Amino acid sequence: MTSPAGPVGLFDSGVGGLTVVRALRREYPSQRILYLADQAHVPYGDRPAEEIRGFALAITQFLISVGSRAVVMACNISSATALETARARHWPTPVIGVIEAAVRAALEATHDGTPRIGVLATRGTVASGAYPRLLHRLCPEAVVTQVPCPDLVPLIESGALNGATIQARCRGYLRPLAEAGCTTIILGCTHYPLLLPVFEEEAHSIFETEPVFVDPAQAMVDELRHMTVLDQSSPTGEMRLLTTGDPEIFERQVRRLLGITDAVVGKAQWEAGKVRAVSPVEAAS
């Protein structure tokens, strides 16, 4: 049951959504956080949309059932396939999607002439058409170029954040956006901000004018701030991170990739299409 004193609940298929947690913790260190990584099913990007929708709705239900005051779909393909249904099911509890936040941030970053916006995303997010649809609704004259990046999430989940392979993949994915003259690029997967230094370095050599990169994690925090759903009353800012995969591996990923060392890491699992916590998760009182 939702509680006004509860944590902000967030989820993704893996560690990518923790970029939102990191940005949220940086600006609001006392905010209580409950995060679920569905690593039993990572990556989501190549799965059927209806399957992803089922995962997202079940995880949203779980996060609300343990008292989350709001739920953040820190996952682009979940936002593309399940957001409106989740909102209708759980109103008035806020359910927030990362795509809306990233699109608004991209349009705010584009000031001169016709917006030429690039989107780097998983195959599933690109196939959903969610980014062009929302961009054109808010700015009909926008020129949008999408590039699917199927290799990045598996590489990031394995711990690869630099090196020749990552550089080559990022360079290859950026080239079509450079050819299209994009001036703003949305990192359309919450894993991708972990590669932002590599994207910026590669863009320097292939763009005539270096583009602005939109970090969906920071855009999501800005969205939460504007919605006034954050709670600063907790003195501890406790953070609980659950995975449907291996908690020991997940804890090592959290430490190595994001430098988070003060979280309680636990286990969740799927049972008959529903999520339940194996390690204790206290419902908000």
Side-chain angles (χ1 to χ4, degrees):
M1 179 177 180
T2 301
S3 166
V8 171
L10 309 95
F11 73 89
D12 187 20
S13 61
V15 299
L18 288 170
T19 59
V20 182
V21 171
R22 181 176 61 181
L24 181 59
R25 197 65 180 278
R26 185 169 55 239
E27 293 193 31
Y28 297 94
S30 64
Q31 174 62 56
R32 296 175 63 201
I33 291 169
L34 174 61
Y35 180 85
L36 189 140
D38 187 19
Q39 293 181 304
H41 298 121
V42 69
Y44 278 5
D46 292 331
R47 291 179 179 272
E50 196 58 31
E51 183 180 33
I52 297 165
R53 182 174 177 272
F55 296 155
L57 293 174
I59 295 169
T60 300
Q61 175 65 51
F62 165 73
L63 291 171
I64 290 174
S65 74
V66 295
S68 297
R69 60 188 287 113
V71 172
V72 174
M73 292 187 175
C75 170
N76 282 262
I77 188 60
S78 295
S79 299
T81 58
L83 180 62
E84 294 308 318
T85 300
R87 282 176 169 167
R89 285 186 182 180
H90 299 293
W91 186 90
T93 301
V95 182
I96 306 152
V98 70
I99 290 176
E100 295 173 335
V103 164
R104 279 191 274 271
L107 292 175
E108 288 173 4
T110 307
H111 303 292
D112 300 323
T114 300
R116 305 186 73 85
I117 297 173
V119 179
L120 298 173
T122 64
R123 282 197 184 107
T125 298
V126 168
S128 76
Y131 271 105
R133 190 161 54 246
L134 184 54
L135 281 162
H136 288 141
R137 193 173 83 208
L138 298 179
C139 182
E141 68 272 22
V143 177
V144 183
T145 304
Q146 297 191 100
V147 176
C149 310
D151 297 333
L152 294 186
V153 170
L155 285 168
I156 293 167
E157 288 281 325
S158 74
L161 300 184
N162 49 45
T165 299
I166 283 288
Q167 290 171 333
R169 295 295 189 277
C170 290
R171 185 165 56 251
Y173 293 142
L174 284 170
R175 277 207 176 97
L177 304 185
E179 292 167 1
C182 295
T183 58
T184 302
I185 297 175
I186 297 172
L187 299 179
C189 172
T190 49
H191 282 74
Y192 297 174
L194 293 167
L195 300 179
L196 182 56
V198 181
F199 279 124
E200 290 177 333
E201 181 180 353
E202 296 303 321
H204 181 73
S205 63
I206 61 177
F207 282 76
E208 290 186 10
T209 301
E210 291 188 36
V212 173
F213 286 92
V214 174
D215 178 348
Q218 186 56 53
M220 193 74 258
V221 174
D222 294 340
E223 191 88 350
L224 288 167
R225 181 170 53 249
H226 294 151
M227 294 181 69
T228 65
V229 299
L230 300 176
D231 173 32
Q232 293 295 285
S233 63
S234 170
T236 60
E238 64 189 9
M239 177 165 43
R240 295 174 180 268
L241 311 178
L242 303 178
T243 178
T244 58
D246 185 320
E248 292 185 5
I249 294 173
F250 181 53
E251 185 167 14
R252 290 198 295 270
Q253 289 175 309
V254 168
R255 289 175 177 269
R256 184 176 69 250
L257 298 176
L258 291 120
I260 295 174
T261 59
D262 60 340
V264 176
V265 175
K267 172 71 174 174
Q269 67 184 31
W270 289 93
E271 292 181 355
K274 297 181 179 181
V275 180
R276 77 173 184 91
V278 178
S279 300
V281 175
E282 296 176 5
S285 58

